[in-house]
Amino acid sequence: MRLIMFDMDGTLVNSSFAITNTINYVRENIGLNKLESKFILENLNNPSINSAEFFYETPEFTEEQVILFEEYYNKHCISDLELYDGIEKLINDLKNDFILAVATNSNSTYAKKMLEHVGIAQHFPTILGYDNVSNPKPHPEMIEKILNKHNILNTNAQMIGDSHKDTMAATKAGVDSLLVNWGFTDHKEDAIQTIQELEQKIIEKFN
């Protein structure tokens, strides 16, 4: 069998509204000013920054920040959430020939709720989030865990994501990856621009 793993936010679904509002909700509650949505999204997946320091000015996420984030996000994560155009067709085209999985740095409970809301959760037997691993992406643990669960060789798998955290995690696990450019980060080079092109690249790899 062959396996395709997808990142969720910025790859399958456009959840930018909920994410930026949640980060700003936490900031306001800990006495910081709001940040521009575009600025948040540009830095969300930057593997070279400490996210807690960058967004909340603390060396690591505090219990208060985590509670505030989850409280707001749980209420609002399906607000204005939408599948990117063409994703539903892509999933339908792939589902009979591949095992499909989600590897997201979001909480797996929210991820399932969000993917159910947009109508594609049933196609992913495995939806893994940061709460299922000790080390989220760009660490390879999440990718390796999915490979082991489905007993798939890394050469028979591929990771699709909109962030270098996705491609770094895949590379460390010895898995081929594709970077897409309709998500939260604007990649200047080596990124796939359309879902049609993505489908073509997946088929080329496994044929």
Side-chain angles (χ1 to χ4, degrees), residues 14 29 63-64 66 71 73 75 89 99 157 176 205:
N14 183 356
N29 275 276
E63 191 181 352
E64 181 195 14
V66 172
E71 174 188 280
Y73 197 71
K75 281 183 195 160
K89 179 186 181 299
I99 294 169
D176 183 58
K205 172 177 166 57

Side-chain angles (χ1 to χ4, degrees):
M1 279 303 288
R2 300 164 308 174
L3 170 74
I4 306 285
M5 291 168 277
F6 290 91
D7 169 54
M8 184 181 70
D9 299 292
T11 302
L12 295 173
V13 297
N14 183 356
S15 51
S16 57
F17 187 75
I19 288 171
T20 55
N21 282 350
T22 305
I23 288 172
N24 277 327
Y25 172 80
V26 177
R27 285 180 63 85
E28 285 187 298
N29 275 276
I30 60 171
L32 300 173
N33 293 331
K34 279 186 172 183
L35 295 171
E36 285 287 328
S37 297
K38 188 171 184 291
F39 180 74
I40 291 174
L41 294 173
E42 280 169 355
N43 290 284
L44 193 65
N45 288 321
N46 185 342
S48 64
I49 63 170
N50 173 337
S51 297
E53 208 171 286
F54 191 88
F55 291 117
Y56 306 135
E57 299 178 13
T58 53
E60 51 193 45
F61 295 114
T62 66
E63 191 181 352
E64 181 195 14
Q65 289 162 10
V66 172
I67 289 166
L68 285 166
F69 188 99
E70 293 191 347
E71 174 188 280
Y72 187 93
Y73 197 71
N74 192 30
K75 281 183 195 160
H76 300 278
C77 67
I78 56 176
S79 303
D80 296 327
L81 179 72
E82 54 188 21
L83 273 179
Y84 286 108
D85 286 343
I87 286 291
E88 192 166 9
K89 179 186 181 299
L90 174 70
I91 298 303
N92 282 325
D93 289 351
L94 297 175
K95 68 183 182 187
N96 295 325
D97 297 318
F98 298 92
I99 294 169
L100 303 179
V102 169
T104 173
N105 278 355
S106 289
N107 178 296
S108 63
T109 305
Y110 302 147
K112 286 169 190 162
K113 177 175 165 180
M114 291 160 76
L115 293 170
E116 278 164 10
H117 179 74
V118 292
I120 60 168
Q122 71 275 18
H123 302 306
F124 298 97
T126 300
I127 298 171
L128 227 58
Y130 78 82
D131 53 312
N132 304 123
V133 292
S134 304
N135 306 287
K137 299 174 292 184
H139 193 282
E141 184 185 348
M142 205 178 281
I143 310 270
E144 288 164 351
K145 203 164 180 176
I146 295 172
L147 291 173
N148 291 337
K149 181 179 176 183
H150 293 285
N151 200 19
I152 302 277
L153 292 172
N154 55 6
T155 48
N156 287 337
Q158 194 168 42
M159 175 72 202
I160 318 290
D162 71 314
S163 155
H164 286 297
K165 285 185 179 177
D166 302 311
T167 55
M168 287 163 75
T171 302
K172 288 172 191 168
V175 169
D176 183 58
S177 64
L178 295 169
L179 191 63
V180 302
N181 208 27
W182 51 80
F184 301 158
T185 317
D186 186 15
H187 301 289
K188 301 296 180 227
E189 53 191 43
D190 300 329
I192 290 167
Q193 303 299 327
T194 67
I195 291 172
Q196 291 79 3
E197 188 190 345
L198 173 62
E199 185 164 354
Q200 201 179 334
K201 292 268 189 198
I202 293 169
I203 290 161
E204 278 169 17
K205 172 177 166 57
F206 289 104
N207 272 353

